[in-house]
Amino acid sequence: MTPVCPFVKAARPDDASSKKLGESPNKHGSENEGKAKKESSDSASVSPKCPFGYDSGTFKLGPLSCMICQALLFDCAKCIPCSHVYCKVCISRFKDCPLCGADIEKTEADTDLQSVVDRFIEGHARIKRSNTDADKDAGGDTKIVYEDVSLERGAFLVQQAMRAFRAQNVESAKSRLRLCVDDIRGQIEIMGNTSELCSQLGAVLGTLGDCCRATGDASSAIDYFEESVEFLTKLPTDNLEITHTLSVSLNKIGDLKYYAGDMEAARSFYSRSLNVRRDAMQHHPNVPSQTLDVAVSLAKVADVDRSIGNEDAAAAGFQEAIKLLKSLTLKPEEVGLEQRRLSVLEFLNSQLGG
């Protein structure tokens, strides 16, 4: 069943031809009654045409977008007197309207437009469950249910969240990511801990952690990162993307513990990340990025060892990392990796006084 845009009810192709000019509404009454239920169920399969030109797979800037962060509007605020609408957080940084240049005397909440945005998200972005017998109303008619459970819809929400996050509209980003988390959790309840769902949830939870860390909420950030780790550790370790995401989440928890002064906890998480990366390097010895990741983790563990007074362990860690990076051979086209290798190597040498 094709998902139906919530805005399309009044513009279905069959609506325009259902009545002919001058035709009596009672004509063929018995025949129409017989078709009523069939049309009710068939309507859900009509190919949708969103009047705003959006669909679940693509997105462009339009009437539901904030022209500042370029994401879907969140907490809509209308500028007075020009009436242009932006996200409240986005427009709060301006004294003049970015679109027309008019002085902004004040802003007012635009709840009507925000409700339209929320309905758009429900129709185009939420991951929905499949239609079941429980979705029938008391009269036996089947309700229209958005049956597309592909994670492309979740990707749409993540895309909007990242646009908002880059524009420093963190609350908008968190709102979209939480919707995505709720939807994936719902799918896990139905389908179980599949690799695809767990990897998606782990990645989104990690991004939520980044949002919390950006606002200084270290406690919530750690909670999200730890939950991300919980789901990612359920997955096979032969997938490089999954192991990289897992190791990064562990390092981010280690960083937060480090800055909070909890060196023992920081070392524990850095060491776990190092072990994940060592395993990945053993399974994929010819992937240069894995070697770089191991060197970075060695440096993090060694730095903590030095902070807690274990100088011998620190020196050994720095030296192992240097040896790895010096033995790494990169292709001429791998310019980015070479720059990263030199940067890490410079830091390691500085730690040993070289």
mmCIF file with all atom_site columns, all heavy atoms in Angstrom, residues 46-65:
data_model
loop_
_atom_site.group_PDB
_atom_site.id
_atom_site.type_symbol
_atom_site.label_atom_id
_atom_site.label_alt_id
_atom_site.label_comp_id
_atom_site.label_asym_id
_atom_site.label_entity_id
_atom_site.label_seq_id
_atom_site.pdbx_PDB_ins_code
_atom_site.Cartn_x
_atom_site.Cartn_y
_atom_site.Cartn_z
_atom_site.occupancy
_atom_site.B_iso_or_equiv
_atom_site.pdbx_formal_charge
_atom_site.auth_seq_id
_atom_site.auth_comp_id
_atom_site.auth_asym_id
_atom_site.auth_atom_id
_atom_site.pdbx_PDB_model_num
ATOM 1   N N   . VAL A 1 46 ? -4.276 5.078  -3.895 1.00 0.00 ? 46 VAL A N   1
ATOM 2   C CA  . VAL A 1 46 ? -4.148 6.123  -4.909 1.00 0.00 ? 46 VAL A CA  1
ATOM 3   C C   . VAL A 1 46 ? -2.759 6.753  -4.817 1.00 0.00 ? 46 VAL A C   1
ATOM 4   O O   . VAL A 1 46 ? -2.281 7.062  -3.740 1.00 0.00 ? 46 VAL A O   1
ATOM 5   C CB  . VAL A 1 46 ? -5.226 7.208  -4.710 1.00 0.00 ? 46 VAL A CB  1
ATOM 6   C CG1 . VAL A 1 46 ? -5.005 8.358  -5.695 1.00 0.00 ? 46 VAL A CG1 1
ATOM 7   C CG2 . VAL A 1 46 ? -6.601 6.611  -4.879 1.00 0.00 ? 46 VAL A CG2 1
ATOM 8   N N   . SER A 1 47 ? -2.101 6.908  -5.939 1.00 0.00 ? 47 SER A N   1
ATOM 9   C CA  . SER A 1 47 ? -0.769 7.518  -5.942 1.00 0.00 ? 47 SER A CA  1
ATOM 10  C C   . SER A 1 47 ? -0.846 8.942  -5.409 1.00 0.00 ? 47 SER A C   1
ATOM 11  O O   . SER A 1 47 ? -1.603 9.762  -5.919 1.00 0.00 ? 47 SER A O   1
ATOM 12  C CB  . SER A 1 47 ? -0.219 7.527  -7.371 1.00 0.00 ? 47 SER A CB  1
ATOM 13  O OG  . SER A 1 47 ? 1.054  8.125  -7.390 1.00 0.00 ? 47 SER A OG  1
ATOM 14  N N   . PRO A 1 48 ? -0.091 9.266  -4.339 1.00 0.00 ? 48 PRO A N   1
ATOM 15  C CA  . PRO A 1 48 ? -0.205 10.565 -3.699 1.00 0.00 ? 48 PRO A CA  1
ATOM 16  C C   . PRO A 1 48 ? 0.463  11.677 -4.497 1.00 0.00 ? 48 PRO A C   1
ATOM 17  O O   . PRO A 1 48 ? 1.468  11.454 -5.166 1.00 0.00 ? 48 PRO A O   1
ATOM 18  C CB  . PRO A 1 48 ? 0.506  10.370 -2.364 1.00 0.00 ? 48 PRO A CB  1
ATOM 19  C CG  . PRO A 1 48 ? 1.519  9.317  -2.643 1.00 0.00 ? 48 PRO A CG  1
ATOM 20  C CD  . PRO A 1 48 ? 0.887  8.409  -3.655 1.00 0.00 ? 48 PRO A CD  1
ATOM 21  N N   . LYS A 1 49 ? -0.121 12.846 -4.420 1.00 0.00 ? 49 LYS A N   1
ATOM 22  C CA  . LYS A 1 49 ? 0.472  14.040 -5.012 1.00 0.00 ? 49 LYS A CA  1
ATOM 23  C C   . LYS A 1 49 ? 0.402  15.152 -3.971 1.00 0.00 ? 49 LYS A C   1
ATOM 24  O O   . LYS A 1 49 ? -0.632 15.770 -3.779 1.00 0.00 ? 49 LYS A O   1
ATOM 25  C CB  . LYS A 1 49 ? -0.271 14.455 -6.286 1.00 0.00 ? 49 LYS A CB  1
ATOM 26  C CG  . LYS A 1 49 ? -0.038 13.527 -7.476 1.00 0.00 ? 49 LYS A CG  1
ATOM 27  C CD  . LYS A 1 49 ? 1.394  13.632 -7.985 1.00 0.00 ? 49 LYS A CD  1
ATOM 28  C CE  . LYS A 1 49 ? 1.601  12.752 -9.203 1.00 0.00 ? 49 LYS A CE  1
ATOM 29  N NZ  . LYS A 1 49 ? 2.999  12.806 -9.670 1.00 0.00 ? 49 LYS A NZ  1
ATOM 30  N N   . CYS A 1 50 ? 1.501  15.347 -3.278 1.00 0.00 ? 50 CYS A N   1
ATOM 31  C CA  . CYS A 1 50 ? 1.515  16.375 -2.243 1.00 0.00 ? 50 CYS A CA  1
ATOM 32  C C   . CYS A 1 50 ? 1.460  17.750 -2.891 1.00 0.00 ? 50 CYS A C   1
ATOM 33  O O   . CYS A 1 50 ? 2.236  18.047 -3.802 1.00 0.00 ? 50 CYS A O   1
ATOM 34  C CB  . CYS A 1 50 ? 2.777  16.254 -1.392 1.00 0.00 ? 50 CYS A CB  1
ATOM 35  S SG  . CYS A 1 50 ? 2.924  17.538 -0.133 1.00 0.00 ? 50 CYS A SG  1
ATOM 36  N N   . PRO A 1 51 ? 0.538  18.617 -2.476 1.00 0.00 ? 51 PRO A N   1
ATOM 37  C CA  . PRO A 1 51 ? 0.416  19.947 -3.090 1.00 0.00 ? 51 PRO A CA  1
ATOM 38  C C   . PRO A 1 51 ? 1.641  20.821 -2.878 1.00 0.00 ? 51 PRO A C   1
ATOM 39  O O   . PRO A 1 51 ? 1.811  21.818 -3.560 1.00 0.00 ? 51 PRO A O   1
ATOM 40  C CB  . PRO A 1 51 ? -0.823 20.541 -2.410 1.00 0.00 ? 51 PRO A CB  1
ATOM 41  C CG  . PRO A 1 51 ? -0.968 19.779 -1.136 1.00 0.00 ? 51 PRO A CG  1
ATOM 42  C CD  . PRO A 1 51 ? -0.488 18.392 -1.429 1.00 0.00 ? 51 PRO A CD  1
ATOM 43  N N   . PHE A 1 52 ? 2.515  20.461 -1.930 1.00 0.00 ? 52 PHE A N   1
ATOM 44  C CA  . PHE A 1 52 ? 3.722  21.245 -1.702 1.00 0.00 ? 52 PHE A CA  1
ATOM 45  C C   . PHE A 1 52 ? 4.900  20.723 -2.521 1.00 0.00 ? 52 PHE A C   1
ATOM 46  O O   . PHE A 1 52 ? 5.989  21.281 -2.467 1.00 0.00 ? 52 PHE A O   1
ATOM 47  C CB  . PHE A 1 52 ? 4.102  21.244 -0.217 1.00 0.00 ? 52 PHE A CB  1
ATOM 48  C CG  . PHE A 1 52 ? 3.122  21.987 0.637  1.00 0.00 ? 52 PHE A CG  1
ATOM 49  C CD1 . PHE A 1 52 ? 2.560  21.393 1.748  1.00 0.00 ? 52 PHE A CD1 1
ATOM 50  C CD2 . PHE A 1 52 ? 2.750  23.287 0.324  1.00 0.00 ? 52 PHE A CD2 1
ATOM 51  C CE1 . PHE A 1 52 ? 1.652  22.074 2.539  1.00 0.00 ? 52 PHE A CE1 1
ATOM 52  C CE2 . PHE A 1 52 ? 1.845  23.975 1.107  1.00 0.00 ? 52 PHE A CE2 1
ATOM 53  C CZ  . PHE A 1 52 ? 1.289  23.375 2.219  1.00 0.00 ? 52 PHE A CZ  1
ATOM 54  N N   . GLY A 1 53 ? 4.698  19.618 -3.250 1.00 0.00 ? 53 GLY A N   1
ATOM 55  C CA  . GLY A 1 53 ? 5.763  19.104 -4.094 1.00 0.00 ? 53 GLY A CA  1
ATOM 56  C C   . GLY A 1 53 ? 6.774  18.241 -3.390 1.00 0.00 ? 53 GLY A C   1
ATOM 57  O O   . GLY A 1 53 ? 7.821  17.907 -3.945 1.00 0.00 ? 53 GLY A O   1
ATOM 58  N N   . TYR A 1 54 ? 6.491  17.850 -2.129 1.00 0.00 ? 54 TYR A N   1
ATOM 59  C CA  . TYR A 1 54 ? 7.411  17.001 -1.393 1.00 0.00 ? 54 TYR A CA  1
ATOM 60  C C   . TYR A 1 54 ? 7.023  15.531 -1.569 1.00 0.00 ? 54 TYR A C   1
ATOM 61  O O   . TYR A 1 54 ? 5.896  15.204 -1.892 1.00 0.00 ? 54 TYR A O   1
ATOM 62  C CB  . TYR A 1 54 ? 7.360  17.303 0.105  1.00 0.00 ? 54 TYR A CB  1
ATOM 63  C CG  . TYR A 1 54 ? 7.683  18.710 0.491  1.00 0.00 ? 54 TYR A CG  1
ATOM 64  C CD1 . TYR A 1 54 ? 6.697  19.565 0.954  1.00 0.00 ? 54 TYR A CD1 1
ATOM 65  C CD2 . TYR A 1 54 ? 8.984  19.184 0.415  1.00 0.00 ? 54 TYR A CD2 1
ATOM 66  C CE1 . TYR A 1 54 ? 6.993  20.857 1.344  1.00 0.00 ? 54 TYR A CE1 1
ATOM 67  C CE2 . TYR A 1 54 ? 9.290  20.475 0.792  1.00 0.00 ? 54 TYR A CE2 1
ATOM 68  C CZ  . TYR A 1 54 ? 8.298  21.311 1.255  1.00 0.00 ? 54 TYR A CZ  1
ATOM 69  O OH  . TYR A 1 54 ? 8.593  22.580 1.631  1.00 0.00 ? 54 TYR A OH  1
ATOM 70  N N   . ASP A 1 55 ? 7.938  14.644 -1.316 1.00 0.00 ? 55 ASP A N   1
ATOM 71  C CA  . ASP A 1 55 ? 7.592  13.245 -1.122 1.00 0.00 ? 55 ASP A CA  1
ATOM 72  C C   . ASP A 1 55 ? 8.530  12.680 -0.072 1.00 0.00 ? 55 ASP A C   1
ATOM 73  O O   . ASP A 1 55 ? 9.410  13.379 0.422  1.00 0.00 ? 55 ASP A O   1
ATOM 74  C CB  . ASP A 1 55 ? 7.654  12.434 -2.420 1.00 0.00 ? 55 ASP A CB  1
ATOM 75  C CG  . ASP A 1 55 ? 9.033  12.426 -3.045 1.00 0.00 ? 55 ASP A CG  1
ATOM 76  O OD1 . ASP A 1 55 ? 10.006 12.181 -2.310 1.00 0.00 ? 55 ASP A OD1 1
ATOM 77  O OD2 . ASP A 1 55 ? 9.139  12.656 -4.262 1.00 0.00 ? 55 ASP A OD2 1
ATOM 78  N N   . SER A 1 56 ? 8.346  11.397 0.309  1.00 0.00 ? 56 SER A N   1
ATOM 79  C CA  . SER A 1 56 ? 9.106  10.851 1.434  1.00 0.00 ? 56 SER A CA  1
ATOM 80  C C   . SER A 1 56 ? 10.569 10.628 1.098  1.00 0.00 ? 56 SER A C   1
ATOM 81  O O   . SER A 1 56 ? 11.380 10.420 1.983  1.00 0.00 ? 56 SER A O   1
ATOM 82  C CB  . SER A 1 56 ? 8.485  9.529  1.880  1.00 0.00 ? 56 SER A CB  1
ATOM 83  O OG  . SER A 1 56 ? 8.544  8.587  0.834  1.00 0.00 ? 56 SER A OG  1
ATOM 84  N N   . GLY A 1 57 ? 10.917 10.616 -0.174 1.00 0.00 ? 57 GLY A N   1
ATOM 85  C CA  . GLY A 1 57 ? 12.293 10.334 -0.543 1.00 0.00 ? 57 GLY A CA  1
ATOM 86  C C   . GLY A 1 57 ? 13.122 11.554 -0.872 1.00 0.00 ? 57 GLY A C   1
ATOM 87  O O   . GLY A 1 57 ? 14.342 11.496 -0.894 1.00 0.00 ? 57 GLY A O   1
ATOM 88  N N   . THR A 1 58 ? 12.481 12.685 -1.162 1.00 0.00 ? 58 THR A N   1
ATOM 89  C CA  . THR A 1 58 ? 13.232 13.878 -1.534 1.00 0.00 ? 58 THR A CA  1
ATOM 90  C C   . THR A 1 58 ? 12.742 15.062 -0.724 1.00 0.00 ? 58 THR A C   1
ATOM 91  O O   . THR A 1 58 ? 11.679 15.041 -0.133 1.00 0.00 ? 58 THR A O   1
ATOM 92  C CB  . THR A 1 58 ? 13.057 14.198 -3.035 1.00 0.00 ? 58 THR A CB  1
ATOM 93  O OG1 . THR A 1 58 ? 11.669 14.431 -3.297 1.00 0.00 ? 58 THR A OG1 1
ATOM 94  C CG2 . THR A 1 58 ? 13.550 13.048 -3.895 1.00 0.00 ? 58 THR A CG2 1
ATOM 95  N N   . PHE A 1 59 ? 13.524 16.113 -0.728 1.00 0.00 ? 59 PHE A N   1
ATOM 96  C CA  . PHE A 1 59 ? 13.142 17.305 0.018  1.00 0.00 ? 59 PHE A CA  1
ATOM 97  C C   . PHE A 1 59 ? 13.774 18.523 -0.619 1.00 0.00 ? 59 PHE A C   1
ATOM 98  O O   . PHE A 1 59 ? 14.921 18.492 -1.033 1.00 0.00 ? 59 PHE A O   1
ATOM 99  C CB  . PHE A 1 59 ? 13.605 17.203 1.473  1.00 0.00 ? 59 PHE A CB  1
ATOM 100 C CG  . PHE A 1 59 ? 13.207 18.402 2.289  1.00 0.00 ? 59 PHE A CG  1
ATOM 101 C CD1 . PHE A 1 59 ? 11.911 18.535 2.743  1.00 0.00 ? 59 PHE A CD1 1
ATOM 102 C CD2 . PHE A 1 59 ? 14.117 19.406 2.565  1.00 0.00 ? 59 PHE A CD2 1
ATOM 103 C CE1 . PHE A 1 59 ? 11.533 19.643 3.489  1.00 0.00 ? 59 PHE A CE1 1
ATOM 104 C CE2 . PHE A 1 59 ? 13.746 20.508 3.298  1.00 0.00 ? 59 PHE A CE2 1
ATOM 105 C CZ  . PHE A 1 59 ? 12.456 20.627 3.761  1.00 0.00 ? 59 PHE A CZ  1
ATOM 106 N N   . LYS A 1 60 ? 13.001 19.574 -0.729 1.00 0.00 ? 60 LYS A N   1
ATOM 107 C CA  . LYS A 1 60 ? 13.527 20.831 -1.240 1.00 0.00 ? 60 LYS A CA  1
ATOM 108 C C   . LYS A 1 60 ? 13.044 21.944 -0.331 1.00 0.00 ? 60 LYS A C   1
ATOM 109 O O   . LYS A 1 60 ? 12.095 21.763 0.443  1.00 0.00 ? 60 LYS A O   1
ATOM 110 C CB  . LYS A 1 60 ? 13.042 21.069 -2.668 1.00 0.00 ? 60 LYS A CB  1
ATOM 111 C CG  . LYS A 1 60 ? 11.524 21.171 -2.792 1.00 0.00 ? 60 LYS A CG  1
ATOM 112 C CD  . LYS A 1 60 ? 11.117 21.344 -4.241 1.00 0.00 ? 60 LYS A CD  1
ATOM 113 C CE  . LYS A 1 60 ? 9.594  21.467 -4.362 1.00 0.00 ? 60 LYS A CE  1
ATOM 114 N NZ  . LYS A 1 60 ? 9.161  21.615 -5.756 1.00 0.00 ? 60 LYS A NZ  1
ATOM 115 N N   . LEU A 1 61 ? 13.685 23.079 -0.416 1.00 0.00 ? 61 LEU A N   1
ATOM 116 C CA  . LEU A 1 61 ? 13.236 24.219 0.373  1.00 0.00 ? 61 LEU A CA  1
ATOM 117 C C   . LEU A 1 61 ? 11.883 24.667 -0.147 1.00 0.00 ? 61 LEU A C   1
ATOM 118 O O   . LEU A 1 61 ? 11.663 24.739 -1.353 1.00 0.00 ? 61 LEU A O   1
ATOM 119 C CB  . LEU A 1 61 ? 14.249 25.356 0.287  1.00 0.00 ? 61 LEU A CB  1
ATOM 120 C CG  . LEU A 1 61 ? 15.630 25.060 0.879  1.00 0.00 ? 61 LEU A CG  1
ATOM 121 C CD1 . LEU A 1 61 ? 16.507 26.296 0.766  1.00 0.00 ? 61 LEU A CD1 1
ATOM 122 C CD2 . LEU A 1 61 ? 15.524 24.618 2.315  1.00 0.00 ? 61 LEU A CD2 1
ATOM 123 N N   . GLY A 1 62 ? 10.983 24.960 0.758  1.00 0.00 ? 62 GLY A N   1
ATOM 124 C CA  . GLY A 1 62 ? 9.636  25.339 0.354  1.00 0.00 ? 62 GLY A CA  1
ATOM 125 C C   . GLY A 1 62 ? 8.910  26.055 1.466  1.00 0.00 ? 62 GLY A C   1
ATOM 126 O O   . GLY A 1 62 ? 9.533  26.555 2.412  1.00 0.00 ? 62 GLY A O   1
ATOM 127 N N   . PRO A 1 63 ? 7.593  26.109 1.398  1.00 0.00 ? 63 PRO A N   1
ATOM 128 C CA  . PRO A 1 63 ? 6.813  26.875 2.369  1.00 0.00 ? 63 PRO A CA  1
ATOM 129 C C   . PRO A 1 63 ? 6.875  26.317 3.785  1.00 0.00 ? 63 PRO A C   1
ATOM 130 O O   . PRO A 1 63 ? 6.481  27.002 4.725  1.00 0.00 ? 63 PRO A O   1
ATOM 131 C CB  . PRO A 1 63 ? 5.383  26.801 1.812  1.00 0.00 ? 63 PRO A CB  1
ATOM 132 C CG  . PRO A 1 63 ? 5.376  25.586 0.939  1.00 0.00 ? 63 PRO A CG  1
ATOM 133 C CD  . PRO A 1 63 ? 6.748  25.503 0.353  1.00 0.00 ? 63 PRO A CD  1
ATOM 134 N N   . LEU A 1 64 ? 7.348  25.098 3.957  1.00 0.00 ? 64 LEU A N   1
ATOM 135 C CA  . LEU A 1 64 ? 7.461  24.525 5.299  1.00 0.00 ? 64 LEU A CA  1
ATOM 136 C C   . LEU A 1 64 ? 8.892  24.577 5.821  1.00 0.00 ? 64 LEU A C   1
ATOM 137 O O   . LEU A 1 64 ? 9.193  24.017 6.867  1.00 0.00 ? 64 LEU A O   1
ATOM 138 C CB  . LEU A 1 64 ? 6.976  23.071 5.299  1.00 0.00 ? 64 LEU A CB  1
ATOM 139 C CG  . LEU A 1 64 ? 5.554  22.829 4.790  1.00 0.00 ? 64 LEU A CG  1
ATOM 140 C CD1 . LEU A 1 64 ? 5.178  21.366 4.948  1.00 0.00 ? 64 LEU A CD1 1
ATOM 141 C CD2 . LEU A 1 64 ? 4.555  23.722 5.512  1.00 0.00 ? 64 LEU A CD2 1
ATOM 142 N N   . SER A 1 65 ? 9.765  25.264 5.099  1.00 0.00 ? 65 SER A N   1
ATOM 143 C CA  . SER A 1 65 ? 11.182 25.325 5.471  1.00 0.00 ? 65 SER A CA  1
ATOM 144 C C   . SER A 1 65 ? 11.512 26.658 6.120  1.00 0.00 ? 65 SER A C   1
ATOM 145 O O   . SER A 1 65 ? 10.940 27.696 5.776  1.00 0.00 ? 65 SER A O   1
ATOM 146 C CB  . SER A 1 65 ? 12.070 25.154 4.238  1.00 0.00 ? 65 SER A CB  1
ATOM 147 O OG  . SER A 1 65 ? 11.732 24.006 3.519  1.00 0.00 ? 65 SER A OG  1
#
